[in-house]
Amino acid sequence: MATTFKGRRGTHCYSNSPLNDAGRLFLKVRYLRILDLSHAGFKSLPDYVCDLLHLRSLNLSYNPIETLSRSIISLFRLQTLNLFCCHELTIIPDNLYLLSNLRHLVISPVKLNLMPTFIGRLTSLQMLLQFTVLRKDGCQIGELRNLNNLCGELSIENLENVATLDEAKGARLHLKTGIHKLSLVWSKNKPNANFDIAQGLRPHCNLKVLKIFNYNSKFPSWVSNPSFTHLISITLTNCISEELPPLGPLPLLESLQIVNVNGVKHIGSKFYGWGIIKIAFPSLLTLEIWHMNDLETWARCKSSDFPVLKKIYLSGCKKLKNLPKMRPHVKIKTF
């Protein structure tokens, strides 16, 4: 059943079933601005949708849609395209970059063959939840170069397809002031991580949340740079490195999760950041360490370190021989 209403900003239509006469209804509403077809059961984009030339927002999320027609570029005023959880989608037109007014593009999760080509031409883009790096033209990490209006959350995946430091720097993540949550993801079965490439992926200091997955080299130095004064949460998952980065100097870090990080045998003064600051982890509230299989020793910390720490979660560190002495109010839970 479809419902329409007129508002101060134009006509809106919402539908949650693919009725046969919906096309006739939509054709009567030529100045439709917002169209919500989520959960409607569509397997393809109805032809009549591409005749709604004044459309600003199109929501096709949670549909078993299989293909997206090339004629979608007729919606040249479109600013929002939502394809979230369209799991059956196998084809995205290679001319999608012609929607030059597009600001919000939601395609998640992204399959390898679904990364829109030449997305870097959509310079007005503000939301792009996921970018999958491929080696083919139009899908390399350099497509992010001019997308300086991106804001909110961004996950960059398949980073093993970044071949050189220059390619990594070409993404110019350090200029994207609006990205507050960043995930850097290498493929689990073929991580092929490179320290220099990771160095070139330094984000802007406005970053608040950082997640690194499947990385197997020395952690980049920018991860622990005190200039990241807004960084409140770090998660390191499925990584291999001989040592943890010195995260103690980060002034506002509140949450630290270390999950399946192997190769590290000792946690000590370098992790605390001694010599850089006087008080390590001044804002940390929660520390979680899960399945660090090679960890053997954890050095003592100063009495002034971890001043506000409340909880430590520790699990799966079978070789660990000792825990550092913490303040009395710190709750240590082992599993």
Side-chain angles (χ1 to χ4, degrees):
M1 182 175 182
T3 303
T4 62
F5 66 91
K6 293 184 178 180
R8 296 178 63 183
R9 298 193 177 185
T11 307
H12 306 250
C13 180
Y14 296 87
S15 171
N16 44 29
S17 63
L19 297 178
N20 293 330
D21 41 300
R24 291 193 295 273
L25 171 64
F26 292 159
L27 287 175
K28 295 178 181 179
V29 192
R30 297 183 179 181
Y31 298 102
L32 196 69
R33 302 292 183 89
I34 299 173
L35 177 58
D36 188 340
L37 296 175
S38 60
H39 300 275
F42 288 114
K43 291 187 176 181
S44 62
L45 183 67
D47 293 337
Y48 51 78
V49 172
C50 295
D51 294 327
L52 302 173
L53 302 185
H54 293 271
L55 207 60
R56 300 293 199 277
S57 176
L58 176 59
N59 185 357
L60 296 171
S61 61
Y62 296 98
N63 275 294
I65 189 169
E66 298 174 354
T67 61
L68 197 61
S69 171
R70 288 176 58 85
S71 59
I72 194 173
I73 65 167
S74 63
L75 304 177
F76 59 93
R77 293 184 175 90
L78 198 65
Q79 297 179 359
T80 298
L81 176 59
N82 189 344
L83 297 168
F84 186 74
C85 283
C86 293
H87 296 296
E88 304 302 319
L89 189 61
T90 57
I91 298 177
I92 286 183
D94 56 8
N95 60 350
L96 195 67
Y97 65 86
L98 294 175
L99 294 175
S100 57
N101 290 310
L102 206 59
R103 298 179 184 177
H104 304 90
L105 177 59
V106 182
I107 308 176
S108 182
V110 175
K111 299 177 183 177
L112 282 180
N113 59 335
L114 286 183
M115 196 63 228
T117 55
F118 301 108
I119 201 171
R121 300 180 186 181
L122 299 174
T123 54
S124 297
L125 208 59
Q126 297 176 10
M127 176 186 289
L128 181 66
L129 295 181
Q130 183 177 334
F131 181 87
T132 301
V133 182
L134 303 177
R135 290 306 303 164
K136 67 178 183 179
D137 289 343
C139 293
Q140 298 178 11
I141 197 169
E143 292 297 316
L144 295 174
R145 180 180 182 85
N146 295 319
L147 301 184
N148 292 329
N149 293 317
L150 290 179
C151 56
E153 178 179 352
L154 174 64
S155 177
I156 307 177
E157 313 211 357
N158 283 25
L159 281 168
E160 69 278 1
N161 287 324
V162 181
T164 66
L165 173 61
D166 287 340
E167 280 190 28
K169 287 184 174 180
R172 301 204 296 187
L173 296 183
H174 66 287
L175 296 181
K176 296 169 180 28
T177 60
I179 294 179
H180 294 150
K181 182 178 180 179
L182 177 66
S183 296
L184 300 177
V185 186
W186 283 259
S187 293
K188 191 172 184 179
N189 296 327
K190 46 181 179 179
N192 193 30
N194 181 287
F195 170 76
D196 290 334
I197 289 174
Q199 282 284 82
L201 295 173
R202 173 175 176 150
H204 192 273
C205 292
N206 285 348
L207 193 69
K208 294 181 179 180
V209 177
L210 173 66
K211 297 183 178 182
I212 299 178
F213 297 89
N214 310 322
Y215 179 73
N216 65 352
S217 186
K218 180 182 178 181
F219 287 101
S221 59
W222 55 261
V223 171
S224 52
N225 194 313
S227 64
F228 283 87
T229 54
H230 301 280
L231 195 55
I232 61 173
S233 176
I234 292 179
T235 301
L236 308 175
T237 303
N238 295 329
C239 299
I240 300 176
S241 183
E242 293 183 356
E243 58 185 11
L244 294 174
L247 300 176
L250 293 173
L252 292 185
L253 187 65
E254 297 179 358
S255 173
L256 175 59
Q257 291 183 313
I258 304 173
V259 183
N260 292 329
V261 175
N262 295 314
V264 178
K265 295 183 179 181
H266 176 71
I267 293 178
S269 59
K270 188 169 183 179
F271 176 65
Y272 301 142
W274 290 352
I276 301 176
I277 59 168
K278 295 181 179 180
I279 302 176
F281 296 98
S283 302
L284 194 67
L285 298 173
T286 304
L287 173 60
E288 299 183 36
I289 299 179
W290 304 87
H291 302 287
M292 289 186 69
N293 297 322
D294 298 318
L295 183 61
E296 297 177 0
T297 57
W298 188 342
R300 294 179 58 186
C301 56
K302 297 177 182 178
S303 59
S304 58
D305 294 337
F306 300 99
V308 297
L309 185 64
K310 294 182 178 180
K311 295 179 181 179
I312 296 178
Y313 296 94
L314 188 67
S315 176
C317 303
K318 297 180 180 180
K319 295 183 180 180
L320 184 60
K321 302 172 183 177
N322 66 292
L323 288 174
K325 186 178 180 180
M326 293 288 178
R327 296 168 182 253
H329 64 270
V330 178
K331 295 181 180 180
I332 301 178
K333 296 185 178 181
T334 57
F335 303 90

